[in-house]
Amino acid sequence: MTELLDAAVDEACDEIVRVGTSLFNRGYVHASAGNISARVGDRHLITPTDAALGFLERDRLALVDAQGEQIAGDRASKTLTLHRRIYAADPTARFVIHTHSTHLVALTLAGVWSQDDVLPPITPYFVMKVGHVPLIPYHRPGDPRVADLVTARIADHQASRTPIRAVLLDRLGPVVWGPEAAAALAVLEELEETARLWLLTDRRPEPLTTDAIGELRATFGAAW
């Protein structure tokens, strides 16, 4: 069992480094902004505090146990509490990404569509791949109160059978999650692209109609 866990941790380390490099190379992250984590059994891997995601070193990633105590690597990101609470609130989550993506931060500065939906459903793939994204009011980076707000939103949407895959932190950017790295990346990319489209068009496009969204629900199981 220990060997299997160690192998899973090694694989998760490689995945975090790969994702960080990809995000940096494509302009989704800059400097030391943002963080990435993975759940491995009852342990968590997370990027170190103030780490540059484009230049991660796998042996320096922070490994914490089930109680949140660090057992290896450099000092864990100050958002560790938020990541751990997301994993606890959504059992399907295995990979979490937080970035300060330009267009999504700009959206919070220019004004979101609504507190419950930061962007309108203007494209079918936004509805299918992202879904509802609530705004989380501004708190300083690493403030543990943010975890309470995010997990409350997760619970609300689970109760309404419209599970969320992301939230947007006011002035700080998106936090997205999924069952694996590829799924979390897909949410982030579609979310940032939709924000870019919305801002490029001066926030003028009308949302998809109720009938159009109903068709996406019926055909693709969209959670909207």
Side-chain angles (χ1 to χ4, degrees), residues 97-139:
I97 303 171
H98 168 50
T99 71
H100 295 196
S101 303
T102 303
H103 294 93
L104 285 162
V105 175
L107 177 66
T108 71
L109 301 175
V112 298
W113 190 52
S114 78
Q115 300 295 302
D116 294 326
D117 285 297
V118 297
L119 287 161
I122 56 174
T123 71
Y125 274 85
F126 178 73
V127 173
M128 292 187 294
K129 302 298 184 183
V130 180
H132 298 286
V133 181
L135 181 70
I136 305 300
Y138 177 78
H139 290 75

Side-chain angles (χ1 to χ4, degrees), residues 7 18 26 45 48 60 66 73 76 118 146 155 171 180 186 195 212 222:
R18 183 187 68 80
R26 294 183 294 142
L45 275 165
R60 299 183 69 175
V118 297
V146 172
R171 298 175 183 260
E180 69 276 321

Side-chain angles (χ1 to χ4, degrees), residues 27-95:
Y28 285 93
V29 297
H30 61 277
S32 61
N35 34 75
I36 305 169
S37 72
R39 179 166 67 177
V40 184
D42 62 356
R43 295 185 288 183
H44 301 89
L45 275 165
I46 191 166
T47 49
T49 188
D50 295 326
L53 298 189
F55 304 92
L56 295 171
E57 299 176 42
R58 65 185 314 281
D59 293 337
R60 299 183 69 175
L61 298 178
L63 178 65
V64 300
D65 63 18
Q67 287 71 46
E69 296 297 323
Q70 187 158 340
I71 54 180
D74 289 355
R75 184 161 62 93
S77 167
K78 52 186 168 288
T79 60
L80 172 62
T81 297
L82 173 59
H83 286 243
R84 293 183 69 239
R85 293 283 298 279
I86 289 171
Y87 290 123
D90 185 347
T92 70
R94 291 289 186 278
F95 206 89

Side-chain angles (χ1 to χ4, degrees), residues 162-183:
T162 55
I164 58 174
R165 308 177 180 97
V167 297
L168 183 58
L169 308 183
D170 189 20
R171 298 175 183 260
L172 289 171
V175 182
V176 306
W177 55 91
E180 69 276 321

